[in-house]
Amino acid sequence: MRILGLALVALTLLIRPLWAQEISNFTLDNGLEVVVIEDHRAPVVVQMVWYRAGAADEKPGVSGIAHFLEHLLFKATDHMKAGELSDTVAANGGSDNAFTTWDYTAYYQRVAADRLDLMMTMESDRMRNLRLTKDDIATERDVILEERNMRIENNPDALFREQRYAAQYLNHPYGIPVIGWKHEMENLSLDDAMAFYRRYYAPNDAVLIVAGDVDPENVLALAKKHYGPLAPTEGLKPRHRPEEPPQLSERRMTYVDPRVSQPYVIRTYLAPERNAGDQKQAAALTMLSELLGGNGQTSVLGRKLQFETQKAIYTSAFYDGVSLDKTTFGLVIVPSEGVSLAEGEAALDKAVAEFIEEGVDAEQFARIKMQLKADLIYQRDDVQALANEYGAALTSGLTLEDVKAWPQVLQDVAPEDVLTAAKLLQDKRQAVTAWLTNPTAQDTAKTEVSQ
């Protein structure tokens, strides 16, 4: 009876509407887009401001300025002292932070619902009233340089990833690290920061998302009160980044570092992103990544390479279509002991080719669809995760309707759609094949080749 009860609960979760929360949206006269996600289970609210400006929107020569400005936004404004916003959030028992990607920069606070007015007062102040000094620039520049040292320079996997992205994108700024190239970070100036700030930190370039125990009309009234008076940036045009030229040749690279403890092979293909009104191809690629490498025990690569042939101790496939411009589809293999990187790569290629020839297993396909549906439902239990999903989508070229439609678009994918999407993996001209290894393994590989 207990098992039957659990099954009924699971079934109820899977057939109830995916969008139980009420979603409202408004646009202020100055262009600020406002999205309200109601969730009245707890007296908590999350305020997020998302700017349609990330590292890929930087001018040449000032890489890292978007991330640098993220740090600087916690400095003084017309009405706040440096650090006052975070101190106020902490004093009210909440949490706050910010993050930058290629496509957006976002700031958030999670507090008691009755503190929303206060949070809007402070967040709207730093949207247009930031006051920076040369001392702020010098101090915070040292901070981001140290962050780069810790996160990138001291991490061979991170350095490897930087090199791969630079090889993947021949012309598009996705090939430039979000944190910036070190030699350019060292020269970031007050003028650089303020130029980026004045252009992009504006209501007509932002999305305000308020999620939690709130009333939409009250949120709208507060948004009009605090954000409504802010002047938009005049002449702000839609984002058009440099486009990729035709990629005519596979790129291969080997990164050798004595700090590497576990060598592995990764191949990434240039792939289409989710587009407004047309998410079918992205949905097929999502299903393909789940079929190939979503689960180490049941996925195609996991079964073939980790269990049947035991060529690998880990395999994976990945794809994230939430991107303003072309993204990547990736395959990974960590060879088993005694299996070289060359052998691992060959085994990976063989497994993918067999999958395309054999077709999609109907039972596994149905299981993955059910799991994705359940995952999307369970994600709705985290109001901040839901706000993140909307914010990332809306600042990456998608619409509210696209986000709402996505679960059904995934369910509508057919096996033949997946096999069509898998043709991407047969064109290595769009790919970067990269080996991460250490000197010992590299010397062994050279010896094997010479023999």
Side-chain angles (χ1 to χ4, degrees):
M1 288 297 292
R2 181 174 181 273
I3 294 175
L4 178 60
L6 290 173
L8 290 173
V9 169
L11 181 61
T12 300
L13 285 171
L14 292 177
I15 63 176
R16 76 184 187 187
L18 283 177
W19 294 95
Q21 291 90 349
E22 292 294 329
I23 312 293
S24 306
N25 67 290
F26 315 93
T27 301
L28 303 189
D29 291 342
N30 59 8
L32 179 69
E33 187 174 355
V34 182
V35 176
V36 182
I37 305 170
E38 292 181 71
D39 189 324
H40 301 288
R41 293 174 298 174
V44 174
V45 67
V46 176
Q47 177 186 228
M48 304 192 78
V49 172
W50 297 71
Y51 294 98
R52 293 183 175 91
D57 300 295
E58 298 164 343
K59 291 182 178 180
V62 291
S63 64
I65 195 64
H67 172 254
F68 188 29
L69 186 58
E70 175 209 314
H71 281 245
L72 293 169
L73 222 69
F74 291 86
K75 300 298 183 181
T77 69
D78 283 352
H79 305 104
M80 292 188 294
K81 296 180 293 185
E84 183 176 345
L85 190 151
S86 293
D87 290 344
T88 301
V89 171
N92 282 274
S95 60
D96 76 314
N97 214 325
F99 47 90
T100 305
T101 72
W102 282 288
D103 291 327
Y104 52 76
T105 309
Y107 303 82
Y108 72 86
Q109 304 88 37
R110 184 184 180 96
V111 293
D114 61 1
R115 300 295 190 271
L116 179 59
D117 192 353
L118 175 61
M119 292 300 100
M120 282 200 185
T121 300
M122 305 182 85
E123 188 64 80
S124 62
D125 184 33
R126 64 177 177 173
M127 180 178 281
R128 276 311 210 187
N129 301 321
L130 187 63
R131 292 293 174 262
L132 297 176
T133 67
K134 290 184 178 180
D135 286 343
D136 292 331
I137 298 299
T139 301
E140 209 61 36
R141 189 169 52 212
D142 288 342
V143 171
I144 62 169
L145 285 168
E146 181 57 28
E147 181 180 350
R148 181 179 168 87
N149 285 335
M150 293 177 61
R151 289 173 47 191
I152 309 296
E153 307 294 345
N154 293 327
N155 184 340
D157 193 73
L159 289 168
F160 177 55
R161 183 169 56 250
E162 268 192 354
Q163 296 296 307
R164 286 192 293 105
Y165 271 97
Q168 183 78 70
Y169 292 95
L170 304 177
N171 192 47
H172 194 281
Y174 286 166
I176 299 172
V178 172
I179 198 169
W181 297 116
K182 186 174 183 179
H183 67 285
E184 293 185 349
M185 294 169 66
E186 291 171 338
N187 295 310
L188 294 177
S189 68
L190 177 59
D191 288 343
D192 295 330
M194 292 307 298
F196 196 86
Y197 175 73
R198 292 190 181 109
R199 179 174 180 81
Y200 294 113
Y201 279 55
N204 57 326
D205 202 38
V207 180
L208 169 66
I209 297 182
V210 178
D213 189 18
V214 293
D215 172 73
E217 292 303 322
N218 183 53
V219 172
L220 177 59
L222 289 174
K224 287 181 176 179
K225 172 185 174 184
H226 296 295
Y227 294 96
L230 302 179
T233 293
E234 297 295 335
L236 192 62
K237 298 178 181 179
R239 290 183 287 180
H240 293 296
R241 279 84 167 265
E243 295 184 8
E244 278 295 291
Q247 296 195 352
L248 306 177
S249 174
E250 177 189 10
R251 280 130 290 157
R252 300 187 63 88
M253 57 172 282
T254 301
Y255 186 80
V256 183
D257 193 305
R259 297 171 294 182
V260 173
S261 58
Q262 181 62 69
Y264 65 88
V265 179
I266 180 170
R267 180 183 297 131
T268 53
Y269 299 80
L270 199 65
E273 73 282 6
R274 284 169 61 182
N275 288 307
D278 183 10
Q279 303 181 90
K280 293 181 180 180
Q281 190 175 13
L285 287 168
T286 300
M287 295 298 297
L288 176 63
S289 70
E290 291 294 326
L291 282 164
L292 287 177
N295 182 295
Q297 294 183 325
T298 60
S299 66
V300 170
L301 298 181
R303 290 198 323 269
K304 288 179 177 291
L305 301 177
Q306 294 175 232
F307 294 98
E308 292 177 11
T309 65
Q310 297 186 355
K311 292 284 188 180
I313 59 173
Y314 174 80
T315 58
S316 179
F318 59 89
Y319 168 78
D320 182 2
V322 180
S323 176
L324 187 63
D325 300 311
K326 285 189 176 182
T327 183
T328 57
F329 186 104
L331 302 170
V332 180
I333 180 169
V334 181
S336 300
E337 185 175 358
V339 177
S340 69
L341 293 180
E343 291 172 325
E345 182 184 337
L348 180 67
D349 285 339
K350 183 173 183 290
V352 171
E354 288 174 350
F355 165 75
I356 294 174
E357 182 179 351
E358 295 166 2
V360 176
D361 180 89
E363 183 177 346
Q364 186 189 19
F365 193 58
R367 178 188 60 78
I368 288 175
K369 279 194 173 184
M370 185 68 74
Q371 185 60 55
L372 286 174
K373 191 171 186 178
D375 288 344
L376 287 169
I377 291 171
Y378 293 133
Q379 286 173 15
R380 302 302 179 267
D381 284 336
D382 186 339
V383 68
Q384 186 161 341
L386 190 55
N388 279 332
E389 182 179 1
Y390 269 105
L394 294 174
T395 50
S396 300
L398 299 172
T399 66
L400 289 173
E401 290 69 29
D402 294 319
V403 180
K404 293 177 182 179
W406 179 242
Q408 189 57 51
V409 176
L410 284 173
Q411 294 302 309
D412 291 341
V413 174
E416 54 267 29
D417 299 326
V418 174
L419 292 177
T420 299
K423 292 180 181 178
L424 171 79
L425 309 183
Q426 296 175 316
D427 185 4
K428 291 184 181 179
R429 295 174 303 172
Q430 306 288 320
V432 174
T433 303
W435 293 9
L436 177 66
T437 188
N438 56 52
T440 301
Q442 177 75 350
D443 290 342
T444 301
K446 290 179 179 178
T447 301
E448 291 175 351
V449 170
S450 65
Q451 292 176 345

